[in-house]
Amino acid sequence: MNTHLKTIGMVILGLTLFSCNNNRGSSTSETTTPVWIEDVQFRNIEEYITTTGTAKATKSIEIKSENTGNYNLQTNPRTGRPYRLGDIVEAGTVIIRLENKEYVNNVQLESKKLQVQIAEKEWEGQKSLFERGGATEKDVNNAENAFINAKLDLENAYISLEKMNIKTPFKGVIVSLPYFTPHVEVASGSTLAGIMDYSKMYIETQFPENALGKLTVGQKVHITNYNIKQDTLTGILTQLSPAINEDTRTFAGYIEISNPGLKLRPGMFAKADVITESKDSVLCVPKNIIKNRRGGKFIYIVERNNAEEKIIQTGISDDQYAEVTKGLKAGDKIVVKGYEWLRNRSKVKVMK
């Protein structure tokens, strides 16, 4: 019985020792980490300061009536229909006419035309008499003065009548057009239309105090809107305030925007990236793969199925990439995915 128990005990002890040795062997084997790599590449890179603001039209006007008259909305020759919101109009285009026969009669245009003819003939007659000695120089001057006054009266008559034509003062877009029943009488001072030219726009914005030394008038700006992310417009920094707001610790700036396709609309919220420095064809890596520690910045590269730490120095950066000024060369295989689980000299398996 005792001999039998001893035999069982020896078997159990042997199995235990084998299991322990097996586990010890497993713990010493190194885990292979899957990683994704890419070659470090040369890129063009821009460093910028980002701000936001509301885009505004450089030219904007509300056209009001200067006289009372009956409302007549004109036809747009480009479309063959009455003018409406969104129509592009050239400078000097008549979009509305006001009719007021009493006002036209009071201007007395035909009478003033006749007065000019009479005054001109009188002046010519006085000059002829003066040459024959039949009139004085004063008579000639008085006749000339009467002629000049008659011409001025006629010009004023034309100006008065032109006030019945509602014209656009510059090329732009109709952005407001209050409805009036056709031929209804509108009072003097009524708002008849709103015109904006937003082929050029501007943003009034604020920059943080620490950006003061990096910004200068004339720097290029990339403009994007959250509704038209695929389209980037160009702008320029045109003004900078030298004064810092004590409450917000910011300073004001103005950005002019070129908007030839009219894709950016007045009132849109826009993002502006003011380019403070740019470099062409420099080594760059994704910013998110750069790790930091007391010794500096480093990334992982792959050499012979091992992850190797590479200490790097960086230069300028944008929202995605950072320039590498030291520590890498073109063609190095950098780890862009799976780097979170790596240590120096970790065994890796490159995934495709």
Short mmCIF file of all heavy atoms in Angstrom, two decimals, residues 137-196:
data_model
loop_
_atom_site.label_atom_id
_atom_site.label_comp_id
_atom_site.label_asym_id
_atom_site.label_seq_id
_atom_site.Cartn_x
_atom_site.Cartn_y
_atom_site.Cartn_z
N GLU A 137 -19.00 144.18 -73.36
CA GLU A 137 -18.48 142.91 -72.84
C GLU A 137 -19.37 142.38 -71.72
O GLU A 137 -19.56 141.17 -71.58
CB GLU A 137 -17.06 143.10 -72.32
CG GLU A 137 -16.40 141.80 -71.87
CD GLU A 137 -14.96 142.02 -71.45
OE1 GLU A 137 -14.44 143.14 -71.60
OE2 GLU A 137 -14.34 141.03 -70.98
N LYS A 138 -19.96 143.29 -70.95
CA LYS A 138 -20.87 142.88 -69.88
C LYS A 138 -22.09 142.18 -70.46
O LYS A 138 -22.57 141.18 -69.89
CB LYS A 138 -21.28 144.10 -69.06
CG LYS A 138 -22.21 143.77 -67.91
CD LYS A 138 -22.56 145.03 -67.12
CE LYS A 138 -23.49 144.68 -65.95
NZ LYS A 138 -23.84 145.88 -65.17
N ASP A 139 -22.62 142.69 -71.57
CA ASP A 139 -23.77 142.04 -72.21
C ASP A 139 -23.44 140.61 -72.63
O ASP A 139 -24.25 139.69 -72.47
CB ASP A 139 -24.21 142.85 -73.44
CG ASP A 139 -24.76 144.23 -73.07
OD1 ASP A 139 -25.29 144.35 -71.93
OD2 ASP A 139 -24.63 145.15 -73.89
N VAL A 140 -22.22 140.42 -73.16
CA VAL A 140 -21.79 139.09 -73.59
C VAL A 140 -21.68 138.16 -72.39
O VAL A 140 -22.14 137.01 -72.42
CB VAL A 140 -20.45 139.17 -74.34
CG1 VAL A 140 -19.95 137.75 -74.67
CG2 VAL A 140 -20.59 139.99 -75.61
N ASN A 141 -21.07 138.66 -71.30
CA ASN A 141 -20.90 137.83 -70.10
C ASN A 141 -22.24 137.45 -69.49
O ASN A 141 -22.42 136.32 -69.02
CB ASN A 141 -20.04 138.56 -69.08
CG ASN A 141 -18.58 138.69 -69.52
OD1 ASN A 141 -18.13 137.93 -70.37
ND2 ASN A 141 -17.88 139.67 -68.96
N ASN A 142 -23.17 138.41 -69.48
CA ASN A 142 -24.50 138.10 -68.92
C ASN A 142 -25.21 137.03 -69.76
O ASN A 142 -25.88 136.14 -69.22
CB ASN A 142 -25.36 139.37 -68.88
CG ASN A 142 -24.91 140.32 -67.77
OD1 ASN A 142 -24.27 139.89 -66.80
ND2 ASN A 142 -25.24 141.61 -67.91
N ALA A 143 -25.06 137.10 -71.08
CA ALA A 143 -25.69 136.11 -71.96
C ALA A 143 -25.04 134.73 -71.75
O ALA A 143 -25.73 133.70 -71.75
CB ALA A 143 -25.56 136.56 -73.41
N GLU A 144 -23.71 134.74 -71.60
CA GLU A 144 -23.03 133.47 -71.35
C GLU A 144 -23.46 132.88 -70.02
O GLU A 144 -23.68 131.66 -69.91
CB GLU A 144 -21.52 133.68 -71.36
CG GLU A 144 -20.74 132.39 -71.15
CD GLU A 144 -19.24 132.63 -71.12
OE1 GLU A 144 -18.81 133.80 -71.07
OE2 GLU A 144 -18.49 131.62 -71.13
N ASN A 145 -23.60 133.74 -69.02
CA ASN A 145 -24.02 133.25 -67.69
C ASN A 145 -25.43 132.65 -67.76
O ASN A 145 -25.71 131.62 -67.13
CB ASN A 145 -23.97 134.40 -66.70
CG ASN A 145 -24.27 133.95 -65.28
OD1 ASN A 145 -23.58 133.10 -64.73
ND2 ASN A 145 -25.33 134.51 -64.70
N ALA A 146 -26.33 133.28 -68.51
CA ALA A 146 -27.68 132.77 -68.67
C ALA A 146 -27.67 131.40 -69.36
O ALA A 146 -28.44 130.49 -69.00
CB ALA A 146 -28.54 133.76 -69.46
N PHE A 147 -26.79 131.25 -70.35
CA PHE A 147 -26.67 129.98 -71.05
C PHE A 147 -26.17 128.88 -70.09
O PHE A 147 -26.69 127.76 -70.08
CB PHE A 147 -25.73 130.14 -72.24
CG PHE A 147 -25.40 128.85 -72.93
CD1 PHE A 147 -26.39 128.08 -73.51
CD2 PHE A 147 -24.08 128.40 -73.00
CE1 PHE A 147 -26.09 126.89 -74.15
CE2 PHE A 147 -23.77 127.22 -73.63
CZ PHE A 147 -24.77 126.45 -74.21
N ILE A 148 -25.16 129.21 -69.30
CA ILE A 148 -24.61 128.23 -68.34
C ILE A 148 -25.68 127.81 -67.34
O ILE A 148 -25.84 126.61 -67.03
CB ILE A 148 -23.39 128.82 -67.61
CG1 ILE A 148 -22.22 129.00 -68.59
CG2 ILE A 148 -22.97 127.92 -66.44
CD1 ILE A 148 -21.03 129.75 -68.02
N ASN A 149 -26.44 128.77 -66.81
CA ASN A 149 -27.49 128.45 -65.85
C ASN A 149 -28.58 127.59 -66.47
O ASN A 149 -29.13 126.68 -65.82
CB ASN A 149 -28.10 129.73 -65.29
CG ASN A 149 -27.15 130.44 -64.33
OD1 ASN A 149 -26.27 129.81 -63.73
ND2 ASN A 149 -27.31 131.76 -64.19
N ALA A 150 -28.90 127.85 -67.73
CA ALA A 150 -29.91 127.05 -68.43
C ALA A 150 -29.43 125.60 -68.58
O ALA A 150 -30.22 124.66 -68.41
CB ALA A 150 -30.23 127.67 -69.79
N LYS A 151 -28.15 125.43 -68.90
CA LYS A 151 -27.61 124.06 -69.01
C LYS A 151 -27.63 123.35 -67.66
O LYS A 151 -27.95 122.15 -67.59
CB LYS A 151 -26.17 124.10 -69.54
CG LYS A 151 -26.07 124.41 -71.02
CD LYS A 151 -24.75 123.93 -71.61
CE LYS A 151 -23.57 124.52 -70.90
NZ LYS A 151 -22.28 124.05 -71.49
N LEU A 152 -27.30 124.08 -66.60
CA LEU A 152 -27.32 123.47 -65.26
C LEU A 152 -28.74 123.07 -64.88
O LEU A 152 -28.95 122.00 -64.28
CB LEU A 152 -26.75 124.44 -64.23
CG LEU A 152 -25.24 124.70 -64.31
CD1 LEU A 152 -24.83 125.78 -63.31
CD2 LEU A 152 -24.47 123.42 -64.04
N ASP A 153 -29.71 123.91 -65.20
CA ASP A 153 -31.11 123.56 -64.91
C ASP A 153 -31.52 122.30 -65.66
O ASP A 153 -32.25 121.44 -65.12
CB ASP A 153 -32.03 124.73 -65.31
CG ASP A 153 -31.94 125.90 -64.34
OD1 ASP A 153 -31.42 125.69 -63.21
OD2 ASP A 153 -32.37 127.01 -64.71
N LEU A 154 -31.06 122.17 -66.91
CA LEU A 154 -31.40 120.99 -67.69
C LEU A 154 -30.74 119.74 -67.09
O LEU A 154 -31.37 118.69 -66.99
CB LEU A 154 -30.95 121.17 -69.14
CG LEU A 154 -31.23 119.99 -70.09
CD1 LEU A 154 -32.73 119.70 -70.15
CD2 LEU A 154 -30.68 120.28 -71.49
N GLU A 155 -29.48 119.87 -66.69
CA GLU A 155 -28.79 118.73 -66.07
C GLU A 155 -29.49 118.30 -64.78
O GLU A 155 -29.66 117.10 -64.52
CB GLU A 155 -27.33 119.10 -65.78
CG GLU A 155 -26.47 119.20 -67.02
CD GLU A 155 -25.05 119.63 -66.69
OE1 GLU A 155 -24.70 119.64 -65.49
OE2 GLU A 155 -24.29 119.94 -67.63
N ASN A 156 -29.90 119.26 -63.98
CA ASN A 156 -30.62 118.95 -62.74
C ASN A 156 -31.95 118.27 -63.02
O ASN A 156 -32.41 117.41 -62.25
CB ASN A 156 -30.84 120.22 -61.92
CG ASN A 156 -29.55 120.73 -61.29
OD1 ASN A 156 -28.64 119.93 -61.02
ND2 ASN A 156 -29.47 122.03 -61.05
N ALA A 157 -32.59 118.66 -64.14
CA ALA A 157 -33.85 118.03 -64.52
C ALA A 157 -33.63 116.56 -64.85
O ALA A 157 -34.40 115.68 -64.43
CB ALA A 157 -34.48 118.76 -65.70
N TYR A 158 -32.56 116.29 -65.60
CA TYR A 158 -32.23 114.89 -65.92
C TYR A 158 -31.93 114.10 -64.64
O TYR A 158 -32.36 112.95 -64.49
CB TYR A 158 -31.03 114.82 -66.87
CG TYR A 158 -31.39 115.06 -68.31
CD1 TYR A 158 -30.83 116.14 -69.02
CD2 TYR A 158 -32.27 114.21 -68.99
CE1 TYR A 158 -31.15 116.35 -70.36
CE2 TYR A 158 -32.59 114.43 -70.33
CZ TYR A 158 -32.03 115.50 -71.00
OH TYR A 158 -32.35 115.71 -72.31
N ILE A 159 -31.19 114.72 -63.73
CA ILE A 159 -30.85 114.05 -62.47
C ILE A 159 -32.11 113.74 -61.67
O ILE A 159 -32.26 112.65 -61.11
CB ILE A 159 -29.88 114.93 -61.64
CG1 ILE A 159 -28.51 115.00 -62.32
CG2 ILE A 159 -29.73 114.37 -60.21
CD1 ILE A 159 -27.56 115.99 -61.69
N SER A 160 -33.04 114.70 -61.65
CA SER A 160 -34.29 114.50 -60.91
C SER A 160 -35.09 113.35 -61.50
O SER A 160 -35.65 112.52 -60.77
CB SER A 160 -35.12 115.79 -60.93
OG SER A 160 -34.45 116.83 -60.25
N LEU A 161 -35.13 113.27 -62.82
CA LEU A 161 -35.89 112.19 -63.46
C LEU A 161 -35.21 110.84 -63.26
O LEU A 161 -35.88 109.81 -63.15
CB LEU A 161 -36.04 112.48 -64.95
CG LEU A 161 -36.97 113.66 -65.31
CD1 LEU A 161 -36.99 113.87 -66.80
CD2 LEU A 161 -38.38 113.42 -64.77
N GLU A 162 -33.87 110.84 -63.22
CA GLU A 162 -33.15 109.59 -63.02
C GLU A 162 -33.43 109.00 -61.64
O GLU A 162 -33.25 107.80 -61.43
CB GLU A 162 -31.64 109.81 -63.19
CG GLU A 162 -31.17 109.79 -64.64
CD GLU A 162 -31.49 108.45 -65.30
OE1 GLU A 162 -31.10 107.40 -64.76
OE2 GLU A 162 -32.15 108.46 -66.36
N LYS A 163 -33.86 109.84 -60.71
CA LYS A 163 -34.18 109.33 -59.37
C LYS A 163 -35.39 108.40 -59.39
O LYS A 163 -35.62 107.66 -58.43
CB LYS A 163 -34.44 110.49 -58.41
CG LYS A 163 -33.20 111.31 -58.10
CD LYS A 163 -33.50 112.47 -57.17
CE LYS A 163 -32.25 113.28 -56.88
NZ LYS A 163 -32.51 114.43 -55.98
N MET A 164 -36.13 108.44 -60.49
CA MET A 164 -37.27 107.54 -60.62
C MET A 164 -36.82 106.14 -61.09
O MET A 164 -37.60 105.20 -61.06
CB MET A 164 -38.29 108.11 -61.61
CG MET A 164 -38.77 109.52 -61.27
SD MET A 164 -39.55 109.61 -59.64
CE MET A 164 -41.11 108.83 -59.97
N ASN A 165 -35.56 106.05 -61.54
CA ASN A 165 -34.99 104.77 -61.95
C ASN A 165 -34.10 104.25 -60.81
O ASN A 165 -33.13 104.90 -60.43
CB ASN A 165 -34.14 104.92 -63.22
CG ASN A 165 -34.97 105.32 -64.41
OD1 ASN A 165 -36.13 104.91 -64.55
ND2 ASN A 165 -34.40 106.13 -65.29
N ILE A 166 -34.44 103.11 -60.27
CA ILE A 166 -33.65 102.53 -59.18
C ILE A 166 -32.54 101.70 -59.80
O ILE A 166 -32.76 100.63 -60.36
CB ILE A 166 -34.54 101.66 -58.26
CG1 ILE A 166 -35.77 102.46 -57.81
CG2 ILE A 166 -33.74 101.14 -57.09
CD1 ILE A 166 -35.44 103.77 -57.11
N LYS A 167 -31.29 102.24 -59.70
CA LYS A 167 -30.13 101.63 -60.33
C LYS A 167 -29.21 101.00 -59.30
O LYS A 167 -29.14 101.43 -58.15
CB LYS A 167 -29.34 102.67 -61.13
CG LYS A 167 -30.08 103.26 -62.31
CD LYS A 167 -29.19 104.25 -63.04
CE LYS A 167 -29.89 104.83 -64.26
NZ LYS A 167 -28.99 105.77 -64.99
N THR A 168 -28.47 100.00 -59.75
CA THR A 168 -27.45 99.40 -58.89
C THR A 168 -26.17 100.21 -59.01
O THR A 168 -25.68 100.45 -60.12
CB THR A 168 -27.18 97.94 -59.30
OG1 THR A 168 -26.83 97.89 -60.68
CG2 THR A 168 -28.42 97.10 -59.09
N PRO A 169 -25.57 100.62 -57.89
CA PRO A 169 -24.38 101.48 -57.94
C PRO A 169 -23.10 100.73 -58.28
O PRO A 169 -22.11 101.34 -58.65
CB PRO A 169 -24.31 102.05 -56.52
CG PRO A 169 -24.99 101.04 -55.67
CD PRO A 169 -26.07 100.44 -56.51
N PHE A 170 -23.12 99.41 -58.14
CA PHE A 170 -21.94 98.61 -58.47
C PHE A 170 -22.40 97.21 -58.86
O PHE A 170 -23.56 96.83 -58.62
CB PHE A 170 -20.96 98.53 -57.28
CG PHE A 170 -21.61 98.16 -55.97
CD1 PHE A 170 -21.94 96.85 -55.67
CD2 PHE A 170 -21.89 99.14 -55.03
CE1 PHE A 170 -22.55 96.51 -54.47
CE2 PHE A 170 -22.50 98.81 -53.82
CZ PHE A 170 -22.82 97.50 -53.54
N LYS A 171 -21.50 96.45 -59.48
CA LYS A 171 -21.83 95.07 -59.84
C LYS A 171 -21.97 94.25 -58.56
O LYS A 171 -21.12 94.31 -57.67
CB LYS A 171 -20.75 94.46 -60.73
CG LYS A 171 -21.06 93.03 -61.16
CD LYS A 171 -19.99 92.46 -62.07
CE LYS A 171 -20.31 91.03 -62.46
NZ LYS A 171 -19.30 90.44 -63.36
N GLY A 172 -23.04 93.48 -58.47
CA GLY A 172 -23.25 92.68 -57.27
C GLY A 172 -24.42 91.72 -57.44
O GLY A 172 -24.89 91.46 -58.55
N VAL A 173 -24.88 91.23 -56.31
CA VAL A 173 -25.97 90.25 -56.26
C VAL A 173 -27.13 90.86 -55.49
O VAL A 173 -26.93 91.51 -54.46
CB VAL A 173 -25.50 88.95 -55.59
CG1 VAL A 173 -26.64 87.94 -55.52
CG2 VAL A 173 -24.31 88.36 -56.33
N ILE A 174 -28.35 90.64 -55.99
CA ILE A 174 -29.53 91.10 -55.27
C ILE A 174 -29.75 90.18 -54.07
O ILE A 174 -30.00 88.98 -54.23
CB ILE A 174 -30.78 91.10 -56.16
CG1 ILE A 174 -30.58 92.01 -57.37
CG2 ILE A 174 -32.02 91.53 -55.37
CD1 ILE A 174 -31.72 91.98 -58.37
N VAL A 175 -29.61 90.73 -52.86
CA VAL A 175 -29.73 89.91 -51.66
C VAL A 175 -31.02 90.20 -50.88
O VAL A 175 -31.40 89.44 -50.00
CB VAL A 175 -28.51 90.10 -50.74
CG1 VAL A 175 -27.25 89.58 -51.41
CG2 VAL A 175 -28.35 91.56 -50.31
N SER A 176 -31.67 91.30 -51.20
CA SER A 176 -32.98 91.57 -50.61
C SER A 176 -33.82 92.32 -51.63
O SER A 176 -33.31 93.18 -52.36
CB SER A 176 -32.88 92.37 -49.31
OG SER A 176 -32.39 93.67 -49.54
N LEU A 177 -35.09 91.97 -51.70
CA LEU A 177 -36.00 92.58 -52.67
C LEU A 177 -37.41 92.55 -52.07
O LEU A 177 -38.21 91.67 -52.38
CB LEU A 177 -35.95 91.80 -53.98
CG LEU A 177 -36.57 92.46 -55.22
CD1 LEU A 177 -35.80 93.73 -55.58
CD2 LEU A 177 -36.56 91.50 -56.40
N PRO A 178 -37.70 93.52 -51.19
CA PRO A 178 -39.03 93.54 -50.55
C PRO A 178 -40.15 93.53 -51.59
O PRO A 178 -40.06 94.19 -52.63
CB PRO A 178 -39.01 94.85 -49.76
CG PRO A 178 -37.56 95.15 -49.53
CD PRO A 178 -36.85 94.63 -50.75
N TYR A 179 -41.17 92.77 -51.30
CA TYR A 179 -42.26 92.64 -52.26
C TYR A 179 -43.17 93.86 -52.22
O TYR A 179 -43.58 94.33 -51.16
CB TYR A 179 -43.10 91.39 -51.98
CG TYR A 179 -44.28 91.28 -52.91
CD1 TYR A 179 -44.12 90.84 -54.21
CD2 TYR A 179 -45.56 91.65 -52.48
CE1 TYR A 179 -45.19 90.75 -55.09
CE2 TYR A 179 -46.64 91.57 -53.34
CZ TYR A 179 -46.46 91.12 -54.65
OH TYR A 179 -47.53 91.05 -55.50
N PHE A 180 -43.47 94.37 -53.41
CA PHE A 180 -44.48 95.41 -53.57
C PHE A 180 -45.41 94.98 -54.70
O PHE A 180 -44.95 94.47 -55.74
CB PHE A 180 -43.86 96.76 -53.94
CG PHE A 180 -43.06 97.39 -52.82
CD1 PHE A 180 -41.69 97.24 -52.75
CD2 PHE A 180 -43.70 98.14 -51.84
CE1 PHE A 180 -40.96 97.82 -51.73
CE2 PHE A 180 -42.97 98.73 -50.82
CZ PHE A 180 -41.60 98.57 -50.76
N THR A 181 -46.71 95.18 -54.51
CA THR A 181 -47.67 94.89 -55.58
C THR A 181 -47.35 95.77 -56.78
O THR A 181 -47.11 96.96 -56.63
CB THR A 181 -49.10 95.17 -55.10
OG1 THR A 181 -49.37 94.38 -53.95
CG2 THR A 181 -50.10 94.84 -56.20
N PRO A 182 -47.29 95.19 -57.98
CA PRO A 182 -46.99 95.99 -59.18
C PRO A 182 -47.90 97.21 -59.29
O PRO A 182 -49.12 97.12 -59.06
CB PRO A 182 -47.23 95.01 -60.33
CG PRO A 182 -46.97 93.66 -59.72
CD PRO A 182 -47.46 93.76 -58.31
N HIS A 183 -47.29 98.35 -59.58
CA HIS A 183 -47.96 99.65 -59.81
C HIS A 183 -48.51 100.28 -58.53
O HIS A 183 -49.15 101.33 -58.60
CB HIS A 183 -49.10 99.51 -60.85
CG HIS A 183 -48.67 98.83 -62.11
ND1 HIS A 183 -47.71 99.33 -62.95
CD2 HIS A 183 -49.07 97.64 -62.65
CE1 HIS A 183 -47.53 98.50 -63.97
NE2 HIS A 183 -48.34 97.46 -63.82
N VAL A 184 -48.25 99.66 -57.37
CA VAL A 184 -48.68 100.28 -56.13
C VAL A 184 -47.76 101.46 -55.83
O VAL A 184 -46.58 101.47 -56.19
CB VAL A 184 -48.66 99.27 -54.96
CG1 VAL A 184 -47.24 98.92 -54.57
CG2 VAL A 184 -49.43 99.79 -53.76
N GLU A 185 -48.28 102.47 -55.18
CA GLU A 185 -47.48 103.65 -54.85
C GLU A 185 -46.60 103.36 -53.65
O GLU A 185 -47.06 102.85 -52.63
CB GLU A 185 -48.38 104.85 -54.56
CG GLU A 185 -47.61 106.13 -54.30
CD GLU A 185 -48.52 107.33 -54.08
OE1 GLU A 185 -48.91 107.94 -55.09
OE2 GLU A 185 -48.83 107.63 -52.91
N VAL A 186 -45.31 103.67 -53.79
CA VAL A 186 -44.37 103.52 -52.67
C VAL A 186 -43.91 104.91 -52.25
O VAL A 186 -43.73 105.81 -53.09
CB VAL A 186 -43.17 102.64 -53.04
CG1 VAL A 186 -43.61 101.22 -53.33
CG2 VAL A 186 -42.40 103.20 -54.23
N ALA A 187 -43.72 105.08 -50.96
CA ALA A 187 -43.36 106.39 -50.43
C ALA A 187 -41.87 106.65 -50.58
O ALA A 187 -41.06 105.73 -50.72
CB ALA A 187 -43.76 106.47 -48.96
N SER A 188 -41.53 107.91 -50.54
CA SER A 188 -40.12 108.28 -50.54
C SER A 188 -39.44 107.72 -49.30
O SER A 188 -39.99 107.73 -48.21
CB SER A 188 -40.01 109.81 -50.56
OG SER A 188 -38.67 110.22 -50.42
N GLY A 189 -38.24 107.20 -49.48
CA GLY A 189 -37.50 106.62 -48.35
C GLY A 189 -37.76 105.15 -48.13
O GLY A 189 -37.20 104.55 -47.21
N SER A 190 -38.57 104.52 -48.99
CA SER A 190 -38.84 103.08 -48.86
C SER A 190 -37.63 102.27 -49.34
O SER A 190 -36.99 102.61 -50.33
CB SER A 190 -40.06 102.69 -49.69
OG SER A 190 -41.21 103.38 -49.26
N THR A 191 -37.32 101.20 -48.61
CA THR A 191 -36.24 100.30 -49.04
C THR A 191 -36.76 99.42 -50.17
O THR A 191 -37.74 98.71 -50.02
CB THR A 191 -35.77 99.42 -47.87
OG1 THR A 191 -35.27 100.25 -46.82
CG2 THR A 191 -34.67 98.46 -48.31
N LEU A 192 -36.06 99.49 -51.31
CA LEU A 192 -36.53 98.78 -52.50
C LEU A 192 -35.67 97.57 -52.85
O LEU A 192 -36.16 96.62 -53.48
CB LEU A 192 -36.57 99.74 -53.69
CG LEU A 192 -37.52 100.95 -53.54
CD1 LEU A 192 -37.48 101.80 -54.80
CD2 LEU A 192 -38.93 100.50 -53.23
N ALA A 193 -34.39 97.59 -52.49
CA ALA A 193 -33.51 96.46 -52.83
C ALA A 193 -32.23 96.53 -52.01
O ALA A 193 -31.84 97.59 -51.54
CB ALA A 193 -33.18 96.46 -54.32
N GLY A 194 -31.62 95.36 -51.85
CA GLY A 194 -30.31 95.28 -51.21
C GLY A 194 -29.34 94.61 -52.17
O GLY A 194 -29.66 93.58 -52.77
N ILE A 195 -28.16 95.22 -52.34
CA ILE A 195 -27.16 94.71 -53.28
C ILE A 195 -25.86 94.46 -52.50
O ILE A 195 -25.45 95.28 -51.68
CB ILE A 195 -26.88 95.70 -54.43
CG1 ILE A 195 -28.20 96.13 -55.10
CG2 ILE A 195 -25.92 95.09 -55.44
CD1 ILE A 195 -28.93 95.03 -55.81
N MET A 196 -25.22 93.32 -52.78
CA MET A 196 -23.92 93.01 -52.19
C MET A 196 -22.96 92.57 -53.28
O MET A 196 -23.33 91.82 -54.18
CB MET A 196 -24.03 91.90 -51.14
CG MET A 196 -24.57 92.31 -49.81
SD MET A 196 -24.45 90.95 -48.61
CE MET A 196 -25.18 91.75 -47.16
#
